[in-house]
Amino acid sequence: MALQITTLAERPGFAPALWDMDHTWHEFVLNDPVADLFYAVATTTYADYVLVADDDAEPGRMVARACMMPYLAKGDELPDDGWDAVIRSGWLARERGEKPDAISALEITVRRDLLGTGLSGRMLAAMREHAARLGHRELVAPVRPNNKHLEPHTPMTEYAWRTREDGLPHDPWLRVHARAGGRIVKVAPRSMTVSGTLDEWRAWTGLPFDRTGAIEVPGALTPVHCDVPHDHAVYVEPNVWVSHDLT
């Protein structure tokens, strides 16, 4: 597939359809409230940090997108609240007029019918190249391992470090990062938090949410904690911090 990968700033015509691309994200993941601090202004404020790709065979029809966000790092330690921390820090830096000194990947999304074709690796390579062009020496990423949902009760501290016989990560998405030069640094135990009423969770998942306790939800990396008497459920997602040295 002959791809054209550019920033959204270079091809703003993709903006109206940026979030309409057919994808595999589960509804509950899209309801992290912190996400609005980036996605609501991604096509304007952060257009130079959004990559869009189309195929020469179908020019103008997006096949993948990738989002990054500049943020203000606090020391050398990557935050335990990973994805949420990056977005919050980037937003606060912008609001306060501070200059970000770091950059993080937020997501790579490939059109549903093109999953498994190697596009995610090509978008990751493009992210690395673009971050380097912007003057960064490191690209970090709070990675969401794409097979962890098959083992929701396995601690991420165990899953993240599991390897195959060849020494590469067991998880396919972590493996793509490793092959691109990424290094697993640590687990972000509370990278994303999604809370809602039981009716909201029923709408997001189609599940009854009628008992207190741990609920396994398709696509969730850990069980969702449900409290029926208090009418709420909370999902705390761990991610894996990966560092890409761009020097």
Side-chain angles (χ1 to χ4, degrees):
M1 180 180 293
L3 289 184
Q4 181 181 8
I5 304 175
T6 68
T7 67
L8 182 62
E10 293 171 294
R11 290 196 288 173
F14 275 110
L18 190 64
W19 316 121
D20 295 336
M21 183 177 66
D22 190 24
H23 59 79
T24 58
W25 292 105
H26 289 77
E27 182 66 22
F28 71 91
V29 178
L30 306 179
N31 281 278
D32 178 352
V34 176
D36 286 340
L37 301 180
F38 172 81
Y39 288 92
V41 293
T43 61
T44 53
T45 303
Y46 296 109
D48 198 39
Y49 296 91
V50 176
L51 301 182
V52 292
D54 61 347
D55 180 9
D56 285 352
E58 296 181 275
R61 186 186 181 196
M62 192 161 55
V63 299
R65 69 171 185 255
C67 299
M68 297 177 283
M69 189 172 189
Y71 73 103
L72 189 62
K74 297 179 179 179
D76 296 329
E77 184 73 14
L78 290 167
D80 288 338
D81 47 344
W83 199 81
D84 282 353
V86 164
I87 294 178
R88 188 168 52 249
S89 173
W91 177 80
L92 284 171
R94 182 167 63 86
E95 289 294 302
R96 294 169 177 170
E98 299 172 326
K99 184 178 180 181
D101 58 1
I103 189 167
S104 175
L106 294 181
E107 63 146 295
I108 292 176
T109 299
V110 174
R111 206 173 70 202
R112 186 189 299 267
D113 62 315
L114 295 172
L115 291 172
T117 61
L119 275 177
S120 59
R122 295 170 72 176
M123 294 301 289
L124 177 57
M127 291 177 88
R128 286 171 51 105
E129 293 169 5
H130 187 56
R133 282 196 300 271
L134 291 171
H136 294 278
R137 299 172 61 85
E138 179 189 33
L139 171 69
V140 297
V143 176
R144 189 176 198 268
N146 59 5
N147 276 358
K148 175 63 173 69
H149 69 100
L150 301 175
E151 302 180 36
H153 294 281
T154 301
M156 185 65 90
T157 50
E158 174 187 332
Y159 183 89
W161 301 101
R162 191 184 302 167
T163 59
R164 308 189 309 181
E165 290 184 0
D166 60 4
L168 289 171
H170 163 79
D171 184 82
W173 189 214
L174 287 174
R175 201 157 57 241
V176 170
H177 278 268
R179 283 177 170 150
R183 174 178 60 89
I184 294 175
V185 178
K186 59 178 281 189
V187 168
R190 52 185 180 92
S191 191
M192 175 186 292
T193 301
V194 179
S195 62
T197 65
L198 300 188
D199 277 345
E200 287 175 323
W201 276 99
R202 290 169 186 136
W204 296 339
T205 66
L207 299 177
F209 275 86
D210 56 0
R211 62 177 178 82
T212 294
I215 307 293
E216 291 188 18
V217 170
L221 308 193
T222 60
V224 176
H225 300 278
C226 177
D227 189 328
V228 171
H230 294 95
D231 189 27
H232 73 259
V234 180
Y235 172 63
V236 180
E237 177 172 295
N239 288 164
V240 180
W241 274 117
V242 175
S243 169
H244 290 265
D245 185 348
L246 306 178
T247 61

